Amino acid sequence: MELSEFKAGLDAWLDENESALAPPEGIEHLDQQMVRLSKVKAAVYDAGWMRWGWPEAVGGLGGSTLLRAYLGAALTERGLVEPGIYSMTEVLAPTMIDYADPALAAEMVPRLLRGDETWCQGFSEPDTGSNLGSLACRAVRGPDGWVVNGQKVWTSLAHYAQRCVLLTRTGTLESAHRGITAMFVDMDTPGITARPIESMHGHPEFAEVFFEDVVVPFERTLGQEGQGWSVAMDLLPFERSTALWHRAAFLHHRLQQVLDVAPDGALDPAKVGEVTQLLYAFRARSRGTQWRLHRGETLAAETSIDKVLVAAAEQAVFDLAEEALAEKIILEDDGPAERWRSEFLYSRAATIYGGSSEIQRNIIARRLLDLGNDR
Ligand SMILES: Cc1cc2nc3c(=O)[nH]c(=O)nc-3n(C[C@H](O)[C@H](O)[C@H](O)COP(=O)(O)OP(=O)(O)OC[C@H]3O[C@@H](n4cnc5c(N)ncnc54)[C@H](O)[C@@H]3O)c2cc1C
């Protein structure tokens, strides 16, 4: 299917079905957002839209990745899904397709696409964030599979998830990134405990996850033993590409709302211009990234530029909202005020999740501009 045909068909379908899928006015708590996410994904999957842009081998209908870039943008721009929780599909499914046993990917990916399941990404640990190569959650060979012991933290949606793409240490700590193995873990396996953490925006979006003698069948290894770093390097660019295109559609929608509801004279036109420019700079950059994916190119370190730009744009949009709607955000207690407050606070995390802006700048300096190593 061509993009123009997809857009016309999807827009018409959404015009017809939007009211049945739309959230209530004001704030929705995470439990409700998760329920609606599943409902929206099931509806767009059953109508075929969610299957375009994914390989037929995993239940897709084929076609360009631009189709799923458009779908996610349409859903977030219309406010039908929250972009952060929707993004897990774009972050995790492509790497599952690249690294899981084909039969496992064919069985599992449709469940994620249709919203029948939630998956999470178990990378960060209490002593391992930016320096991912030092992770310590250990897996050793047992008679029935890997035996995993250790802890992850900041694992988004772990307490809702049925599966986890998990990075473990199978080599020595000294072997750094060479001793890491990735696996696809069922979250109901005995020995796994997920304890939600409430973040300052008021929702328990992530969790700390404990593994105590958790047995993971060897068939669930993603790639080969010791290949976990390649899995992570495959996954991270997906976290910084189409998922961010969807996020920018949501930011564009919020910027428009700020302009619509700001009291007369509350906004400095120069500031509005600056924020709009930041958002368009990101969208121009990300548009190129979407086309590179469409052409089948492998994404890598250059997606760090996309991440730095989107984080700056997100914070600028919500800084503007705070400036324009300060009285409402601070003093009022209705749903919309609570939502603006919550989203403003969440925007502070934009320079942290998916790799902090400092780390992205390091990658840009070292790997793209060849400015030398960290000292
Ligand atoms: C909302 C949210 C959702 C998240 N979801 C997930 C998830 O689903 N799965 C997951 O695995 N993780 C997740 N994370 C964790 C995230 O990936 C890490 O927080 C991030 O990589 C930073 O790691 P850290 O928190 O350990 O900070 P640290 O690595 O300890 O960094 C602390 C500060 O030091 C700076 N810094 C560190 N090293 C350098 C350096 N070499 N040069 C310059 N500055 C440096 C950092 O930029 C940062 O400002 C999430 C985080 C947030 C906020």
Side-chain angles (χ1 to χ4, degrees):
M1 181 176 313
E2 292 302 315
L3 181 58
S4 55
E5 191 191 341
F6 183 85
K7 280 182 177 178
L10 174 66
D11 288 346
W13 187 90
L14 285 173
D15 288 344
E16 212 172 288
N17 292 279
E18 184 171 0
S19 56
L21 302 172
E25 174 78 356
I27 196 144
E28 242 190 338
H29 290 284
L30 189 57
D31 287 346
Q32 298 157 309
Q33 286 181 0
M34 293 300 290
V35 170
R36 197 160 43 75
L37 176 70
S38 296
K39 182 175 157 185
V40 172
K41 283 172 92 177
V44 285
Y45 186 95
D46 292 344
W49 307 113
M50 187 76 186
R51 296 173 63 198
W52 288 103
W54 295 99
E56 289 172 25
V58 294
L61 296 170
S64 166
T65 53
L66 294 173
L67 306 181
R68 34 188 247 242
Y70 187 76
L71 170 65
L75 296 177
T76 52
E77 196 159 19
R78 288 174 186 247
L80 299 181
V81 295
E82 196 284 323
I85 59 177
Y86 183 79
S87 74
M88 297 314 282
T89 307
E90 283 297 335
V91 175
L92 299 175
T95 297
M96 220 18 216
I97 294 167
D98 288 347
Y99 280 93
D101 176 80
L104 182 66
E107 182 190 351
M108 295 292 174
V109 171
R111 301 182 191 187
L112 180 64
L113 296 184
R114 195 175 179 279
D116 296 335
E117 290 192 354
T118 298
W119 296 1
C120 64
Q121 174 192 355
F123 284 19
S124 305
E125 300 179 3
D127 293 320
T128 295
S130 305
N131 55 344
L132 194 57
S134 69
L135 67 87
C137 179
R138 174 149 287 285
V140 295
R141 284 183 174 272
D144 303 317
W146 297 107
V147 181
V148 181
N149 280 284
Q151 188 196 337
K152 296 288 167 178
V153 73
W154 317 127
T155 320
S156 295
L157 309 180
H159 42 308
Y160 293 97
Q162 284 77 28
R163 325 271 167 197
C164 180
V165 173
L166 182 71
L167 292 185
T168 62
R169 169 137 328 263
T170 46
T172 61
L173 264 178
E174 291 69 40
S175 62
H177 59 274
R178 288 183 304 280
I180 295 173
T181 300
M183 48 194 77
F184 189 63
V185 178
D186 294 341
M187 291 295 282
D188 62 0
T189 313
I192 301 181
T193 311
R195 286 200 205 125
I197 306 172
E198 184 162 313
S199 97
M200 68 177 179
H201 79 310
H203 301 288
E205 191 213 270
F206 38 39
E208 48 184 355
V209 187
F210 300 88
F211 296 83
E212 267 183 63
D213 293 329
V214 174
V215 178
V216 181
F218 292 121
E219 309 84 79
R220 292 299 193 86
T221 311
L222 298 177
Q224 305 296 317
E225 178 177 355
Q227 214 187 358
W229 190 252
S230 304
V231 174
M233 292 306 109
D234 183 79
L235 187 147
L236 290 174
F238 288 115
E239 192 166 7
R240 300 168 190 155
S241 49
T242 306
L244 300 186
W245 177 258
H246 299 162
R247 189 148 202 99
F250 154 80
L251 294 175
H252 184 259
H253 180 57
R254 286 287 182 262
L255 177 58
Q256 198 54 54
Q257 286 179 320
V258 176
L259 301 181
D260 290 345
V261 302
D264 282 348
L267 287 172
D268 169 7
K271 185 81 185 286
V272 174
E274 217 175 279
V275 175
T276 308
Q277 194 184 22
L278 277 172
L279 190 50
Y280 275 81
F282 169 72
R283 294 187 101 180
R285 167 77 197 175
S286 183
R287 187 171 190 281
T289 304
Q290 305 317 311
W291 278 91
R292 292 186 52 225
L293 266 176
H294 159 79
R295 291 194 295 269
E297 291 177 30
T298 303
L299 302 181
E302 70 289 341
T303 54
S304 290
I305 299 174
D306 301 47
K307 178 69 202 336
V308 169
L309 290 176
V310 80
E314 171 145 5
Q315 296 191 344
V317 167
F318 285 101
D319 284 347
L320 191 75
E322 193 238 9
E323 203 173 299
L325 309 173
E327 207 167 312
K328 180 172 191 52
I329 292 179
I330 295 165
L331 298 179
E332 291 183 19
D333 236 356
D334 61 359
E338 199 186 333
R339 198 203 64 206
W340 281 112
R341 242 189 333 262
S342 173
E343 290 180 354
F344 170 80
L345 291 171
Y346 191 77
S347 70
R348 303 305 102 174
T351 46
I352 305 172
Y353 60 68
S356 74
S357 289
E358 291 81 7
I359 294 301
Q360 304 311 312
R361 289 193 178 94
N362 275 352
I363 294 172
I364 294 165
R366 284 196 265 120
R367 299 193 33 208
L368 304 179
L369 301 175
D370 200 17
L371 295 180
N373 290 327
D374 271 349
R375 281 172 196 279

